[in-house]
Amino acid sequence: MDASKYDEALAALRDARDEELKQLDDEMADSLASLRNHLLVIGSITFSATVLGGFWLVRLGLSPLRRLSDAVSRISVKDFRLGFDNQRTPRELAPIAERLAETLGLLKRAFAREKQAAADISHELRTPLAALLTTIDVTLRKQRSPEDYREALADCRASGQQMNQLVERLLALARLDAGVDVLRPQSVDASELAEQCASLVRPLAEARGLELRFHRNGPAVLQADPAKLREVVTNLLHNAIQYNRPKGTVDLSVARNNGSLEVEVKDTGIGISTEARQHIFERFFRADPARSADGLHAGLGLAIVKGYVDLMGGTIAVESAEGQGSTFRVRLPAA
Ligand code: ADP
C-alpha cells in the first residue's frame, strides 16, 4: 500500500473512532441525566414520605394528649368528672391523668363543702333572726309597760348574742382557712389557765346539777398561745356540760408528760357513737341536731378546737362509750 492510501485509511479509522467516542459520550450524558432524574424523583418521594410519616407519627403520639385536653375542657363547676378513658392511655400519661382525676375529686368535695356551708349558715342564722323579728313584731303590736319593753329587749339581745356567737365562730374558721390566724406564744401555766376556765363555766355546770372537778398535777408551764388554749379548754368543757346527764360529773385534768402537755376533759354524758366519732370535728356536724336545736350549738365548736390544736402542733383524740360518757384528750408539744 502506498503512503497516501495508508493516510486515508488512518484518517477514516480516526473519524470512525471519534464518531464512536462522541456516541459513547452522548449515551453516557443521557444515562447520567436519566440517573439524576431518577435520583431526584426518589429523593423527593423519600423526603415527602419522611415528612408525612413523621407528621403522622407525631399526630398519633399526641392524640392521647389531645383527648386529655378535650376531657379537661369539658370539666365545669357542675361536672367535675374527667371523661377520659385511662385504659387507652400510654403509660407515661397515666399518672398525670390519675393525679388530675384525684385533684378534681378534691375540688368537687371542696365545692360541695362550700355549698353545704352556705346552706348551713343560712339555716343557723334563720332561727335567731326569726326569734328576733317575732319578738319585735309582738312587742310593737300594742302599747306596753316599761317592764315588758325591757323583757322584749332582753330577748332581742339574746337572739343578737346567738347570731354574734355564730358569726364569731365562722370568722375564726375563716381565719384558720386563710392561714392568717397566727399564734402568739408566751410562757403560760396551763394548769392555772385550765383552772380559770373551769371557774368560768362552773356556774353553768351547777345550774344543770353537774359537778365540775379540776385535777391539778402541779404547774404545767409551756410556750403557748393562751387565747387559743383557753378557747380549746372552754369548748371542751361546754360540750362536757351540754351533753352530760343529770347529776353527772365533768373532770378536767392537766399534766405534763414526757415533754408534752396533756389536757383531759372527761364527762359522764350521753357518749358518742362510733359512726358519729368519725365526723365530730367536721363543721356543722351534730350527732343529734334535734338535741341542740337551741341555735347555740351549730356544730362548729370542735371544728375550731381541732383547727387550734393543729395550729399549735398538737393532737386531739376522743374515747367514748354510748350512755356512759366521753373523754377528750389534747396533747400539745410543751417546747
Ligand atoms: P356543738 O356546737 O353542736 O356542740 P361541736 O362541734 O362542739 O358542736 O360538737 C359537735 C357534735 O359532737 C355535737 O353536736 C355532739 O353531737 C357531739 N359532741 C361533742 N362533744 C360531746 C360530748 N362531750 N359528749 C357527747 N357528744 C358530744
Side-chain angles (χ1 to χ4, degrees):
M1 201 188 303
D2 58 21
S4 67
K5 272 196 181 148
Y6 178 77
D7 284 345
E8 256 171 52
L10 203 64
L13 269 175
R14 225 179 261 137
D15 285 349
R17 193 200 59 192
D18 286 350
E19 183 67 22
E20 239 170 70
L21 275 176
K22 193 173 165 290
Q23 219 172 331
L24 219 65
D25 247 16
D26 288 349
E27 270 174 27
M28 211 159 88
D30 283 352
S31 298
L32 278 175
S34 150
L35 185 68
R36 200 172 47 234
N37 288 343
H38 272 89
L39 280 176
L40 261 174
V41 171
I42 291 170
S44 310
I45 290 172
T46 313
F47 179 74
S48 309
T50 310
V51 169
L52 283 174
F55 183 68
W56 182 76
L57 276 176
V58 169
R59 257 183 84 86
L60 195 74
L62 287 180
S63 85
L65 266 181
R66 214 177 25 250
R67 279 192 296 116
L68 185 61
S69 136
D70 289 347
V72 168
S73 52
R74 279 196 299 273
I75 297 164
S76 72
V77 283
K78 286 200 180 103
D79 188 359
F80 279 92
R81 273 171 308 160
L82 181 67
F84 184 71
D85 182 7
N86 229 2
Q87 304 297 97
R88 287 168 52 212
T89 313
R91 238 177 330 135
E92 297 76 20
L93 211 58
I96 299 175
E98 270 164 31
R99 193 55 60 81
L100 204 59
E102 272 170 32
T103 311
L104 284 169
L106 288 176
L107 267 178
K108 185 182 173 183
R109 282 196 287 281
F111 252 76
R113 259 204 312 273
E114 289 296 314
K115 262 197 200 157
Q116 189 56 43
D120 287 332
I121 293 165
S122 325
H123 179 77
E124 292 304 326
L125 278 174
R126 212 165 51 178
T127 315
L129 206 55
L132 181 73
L133 291 175
T134 310
T135 310
I136 293 172
D137 287 345
V138 171
T139 313
L140 287 177
R141 232 173 253 161
K142 59 177 186 175
Q143 193 69 28
R144 292 175 189 278
S145 67
E147 288 74 38
D148 283 349
Y149 283 124
R150 191 166 293 118
E151 205 178 304
L153 280 175
D155 286 349
C156 291
R157 189 168 193 275
S159 299
Q161 273 173 336
Q162 205 172 310
M163 287 189 274
N164 189 44
Q165 194 202 54
L166 182 66
V167 170
E168 287 294 333
R169 293 189 153 201
L170 287 169
L171 274 175
L173 285 168
R175 277 198 296 268
L176 278 168
D177 283 347
V180 293
D181 206 342
V182 286
L183 289 174
R184 291 186 177 78
Q186 61 187 70
S187 184
V188 189
D189 182 351
S191 269
E192 210 175 286
L193 181 142
E195 197 166 11
Q196 285 167 5
C197 296
S199 307
L200 208 74
V201 299
R202 190 165 282 112
L204 199 68
E206 284 169 356
R208 290 177 176 240
L210 302 169
E211 191 186 352
L212 170 52
R213 302 183 291 225
F214 175 67
H215 306 272
R216 174 186 271 277
N217 298 296
V221 181
L222 80 161
Q223 284 292 316
D225 184 326
K228 301 262 182 306
L229 195 54
R230 198 169 286 121
E231 190 70 23
V232 167
V233 178
T234 314
N235 265 299
L236 293 178
L237 285 175
H238 271 135
N239 281 350
I241 294 168
Q242 165 78 10
Y243 303 104
N244 220 312
R245 61 169 164 79
K247 295 208 170 76
T249 54
V250 176
D251 287 284
L252 167 66
S253 63
V254 177
R256 263 196 80 147
N257 280 331
N258 300 330
S260 70
L261 177 85
E262 195 172 298
V263 179
E264 192 183 277
V265 179
K266 188 173 178 192
D267 66 57
T268 51
I270 57 170
I272 309 164
S273 69
T274 319
E275 159 65 14
R277 247 178 282 158
Q278 329 268 327
H279 304 286
I280 50 171
F281 297 107
E282 290 170 13
R283 293 167 195 196
F284 294 106
F285 175 82
R286 288 172 297 194
D288 181 3
R291 199 182 160 96
S292 30
D294 53 10
L296 285 171
H297 295 273
L300 296 176
L302 286 181
I304 294 175
V305 166
K306 173 90 172 63
Y308 284 173
V309 170
D310 285 348
L311 194 66
M312 292 190 276
T315 56
I316 180 162
V318 57
E319 277 170 27
S320 189
E322 277 187 273
Q324 290 178 36
S326 312
T327 305
F328 283 84
R329 205 165 283 121
V330 173
R331 271 205 188 91
L332 296 176

